[in-house]
């Protein structure tokens, strides 16, 4: 029942965001823009997307350590399967898939693997915030944009503060949690605190400065590749933007899209991505039809690359994305 409700809500939000995105454009002019796109730019754009995922894999490997560390080829396959799952199923289940698959391949506890994924997301958020700040130096953000900037800063800086505490003063969180559990005498509470302790233990590699620096540098590389995929694809159409606004505008679109897809939506972020991408490009006065064409083509390219590779890796493992729920249930009961 819960899974069905999630699908219904996701589908509803997809329809809403698609309507909002398409109501801003002339449909016939949009189709003409799609016909006139120079699709040769898809090739370098797709290569940048793929290289971005390679850098994500290297960052993940830097964060992991000990028994959790695995060859780059293994981690790349697991990472791609996780992102492909997000494209195919609602609820961002891909993060759980990554934790489960890493545990299956390297005998790593799921909570430890999840810790590494959480750290990745914090680095992504901080990098996007830095990019948004740079963009705001060139573009006057509308009020809603400034509100989003403040909200995102509160979320990711709060998460960063929590990670700092868990890295260098974990007792500040663990002592009160253990005290509470000792007075609850609940099996669920004891299970939860055990998973929390494993999560904290999974953060241990980040206490080494060289790991933090490597993860931060690779995060910058990840988003440079992501941004480059948009820039290269934009060469194939005319956004009708002055040269001094083109890069900041595409940077704003990159940040807005990736913050916007945090909103619950259907599989593959269909509609959500189109709405937030065109809204961001509209701030700098981009041609609405060309902006939507850019976002749609970029979405198709990224979806095809990630999902196609993910399904190949799933086939190699004799798995399917929808096997997640029974796999996790089996793991939790063991």
């Amino acid at each position: 029942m819960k899974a069905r409700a999630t699908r219904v809500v996701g589908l509803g939000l997809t329809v809403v965001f698609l309507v909002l995105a398409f109501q801003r454009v002339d449909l016939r002019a949009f189709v003409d823009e799609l016909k006139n796109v120079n699709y040769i730019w898809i090739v370098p754009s797709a290569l940048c997307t793929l290289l971005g995922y390679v850098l994500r894999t290297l960052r993940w490997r830097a964060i992991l350590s000990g028994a959790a560390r695995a060859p780059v080829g293994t981690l790349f396959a697991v990472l791609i399967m996780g992102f492909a799952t997000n494209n195919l199923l609602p609820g961002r289940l891909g993060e759980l898939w990554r934790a489960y698959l890493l545990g299956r391949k390297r005998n790593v506890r799921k909570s430890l693997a999840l810790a590494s994924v959480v750290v990745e997301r914090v680095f992504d958020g901080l990098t996007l915030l830095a990019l948004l700040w740079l963009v705001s130096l060139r573009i006057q953000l509308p009020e809603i944009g400034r509100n989003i900037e403040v909200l995102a800063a509160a979320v990711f800086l709060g998460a960063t503060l929590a990670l700092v505490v868990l890295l260098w003063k974990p007792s500040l969180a663990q002592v009160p949690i253990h005290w509470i559990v000792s007075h609850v005498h609940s099996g669920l509470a004891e299970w939860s605190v055990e998973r929390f302790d494993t999560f904290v233990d999974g953060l241990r590699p980040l206490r080494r400065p060289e790991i933090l620096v490597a993860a931060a540098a690779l995060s910058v590389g990840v988003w440079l590749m992501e941004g480059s995929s948009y820039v290269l694809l934009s060469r194939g159409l005319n956004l009708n933007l002055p040269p001094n606004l083109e890069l900041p505008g595409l940077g704003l679109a990159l940040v807005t899209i990736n913050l916007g897809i945090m909103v619950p939506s259907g599989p593959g972020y269909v509609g959500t991505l189109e709405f937030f991408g065109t809204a961001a490009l509209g701030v700098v006065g981009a041609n609405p039809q060309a902006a939507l064409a850019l976002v749609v083509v970029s979405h198709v390219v990224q979806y095809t690359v990630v999902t196609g590779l993910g399904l190949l890796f799933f086939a190699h493992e004799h798995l399917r994305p929808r096997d997640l729920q029974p796999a996790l249930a089996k793991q939790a009961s063991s």
Side-chain angles (χ1 to χ4, degrees):
M1 182 66 71
K2 183 178 178 181
R4 180 178 298 178
T6 300
R7 287 195 294 269
V8 170
V9 171
L11 179 60
L13 289 171
T14 294
V15 172
V16 169
F17 281 121
L18 279 175
V19 170
L20 291 174
F22 276 89
Q23 74 176 7
R24 302 176 179 180
V25 304
D26 180 289
L27 188 56
R28 182 173 297 177
F30 166 67
V31 173
D32 289 339
E33 286 288 346
L34 286 178
K35 291 178 180 178
N36 293 326
V37 172
N38 185 351
Y39 287 99
I40 193 66
W41 289 100
I42 283 180
V43 176
S45 177
L47 288 175
C48 281
T49 296
L50 188 58
L51 182 55
Y53 283 97
V54 172
L55 292 177
R56 287 180 185 274
T57 303
L58 295 176
R59 180 182 62 180
W60 195 20
R61 190 171 189 272
I63 292 170
L64 293 168
S65 68
R69 177 165 284 192
V72 171
T74 298
L75 290 178
F76 179 74
V78 171
L79 182 140
I80 291 293
M81 283 190 279
F83 279 92
T85 299
N86 285 339
N87 285 343
L88 295 167
L89 299 176
R92 300 185 74 96
L93 294 175
E95 317 299 3
L96 297 176
W97 245 134
R98 284 173 62 185
Y100 167 75
L101 289 169
L102 182 62
R104 168 175 160 154
K105 285 180 169 293
R106 307 297 295 184
N107 195 28
V108 178
R109 301 187 76 169
K110 181 166 64 72
S111 48
L112 191 153
L114 279 174
S116 66
V117 176
V118 170
V119 171
E120 282 184 354
R121 291 294 165 262
V122 172
F123 273 108
D124 283 337
L126 292 176
T127 307
L128 288 172
L129 282 178
L131 178 56
L132 183 58
W133 175 75
L134 290 173
V135 167
S136 67
L137 297 178
R138 302 293 303 275
I139 299 174
Q140 181 64 38
L141 297 179
E143 183 177 355
I144 188 172
R146 292 193 296 272
N147 292 338
I148 291 174
E149 185 177 19
V150 171
L151 177 60
V155 170
F156 288 111
L157 292 178
T160 301
L161 178 60
L163 279 179
V164 168
V165 170
L166 293 179
L167 281 170
W168 283 283
K169 290 291 184 180
S171 60
L172 292 178
Q174 288 178 301
V175 169
I177 289 176
H178 280 264
W179 183 86
I180 292 171
V181 169
S182 68
H183 289 76
V184 170
H185 303 296
S186 164
L188 177 60
E190 292 176 1
W191 179 88
S192 299
V193 78
E194 181 183 346
R195 294 300 184 272
F196 178 73
D197 287 342
T198 307
F199 177 89
V200 173
D201 185 63
L203 299 175
R204 187 178 300 172
L206 292 179
R207 294 172 190 168
R208 296 163 53 192
E210 63 270 24
I211 299 297
L212 284 173
V213 171
L218 287 166
S219 296
V220 172
V222 165
W223 292 104
L224 280 176
M225 287 300 100
E226 188 82 13
S228 296
S229 70
Y230 283 97
V231 172
L232 288 167
L233 199 56
S234 72
R235 303 300 92 188
L237 44 78
N238 182 18
L239 291 172
N240 198 27
L241 288 174
N244 65 316
L245 287 181
E246 190 164 355
L247 279 178
L250 290 169
L252 180 61
L254 173 66
V255 174
T256 306
I257 285 171
N258 284 280
L259 293 179
I261 61 177
M262 293 170 62
V263 175
S265 63
Y269 318 113
V270 176
T272 313
L273 195 149
E274 282 72 22
F275 169 73
F276 285 103
T278 54
L281 289 169
V283 170
V284 292
N287 178 304
Q289 289 72 229
L292 183 56
L294 171 66
V295 175
V296 167
V297 174
S298 175
H299 195 176
V300 170
V301 170
Q302 294 185 44
Y303 188 95
T304 302
V305 169
V306 174
T307 309
L309 277 175
L311 290 176
L312 287 175
F313 289 134
F314 270 115
H316 183 263
E317 296 289 332
H318 305 291
L319 291 169
R320 296 169 298 175
R322 64 183 181 183
D323 292 333
L324 174 63
Q325 187 172 353
L328 290 179
K330 181 179 178 181
Q331 186 186 53
S333 63
S334 62

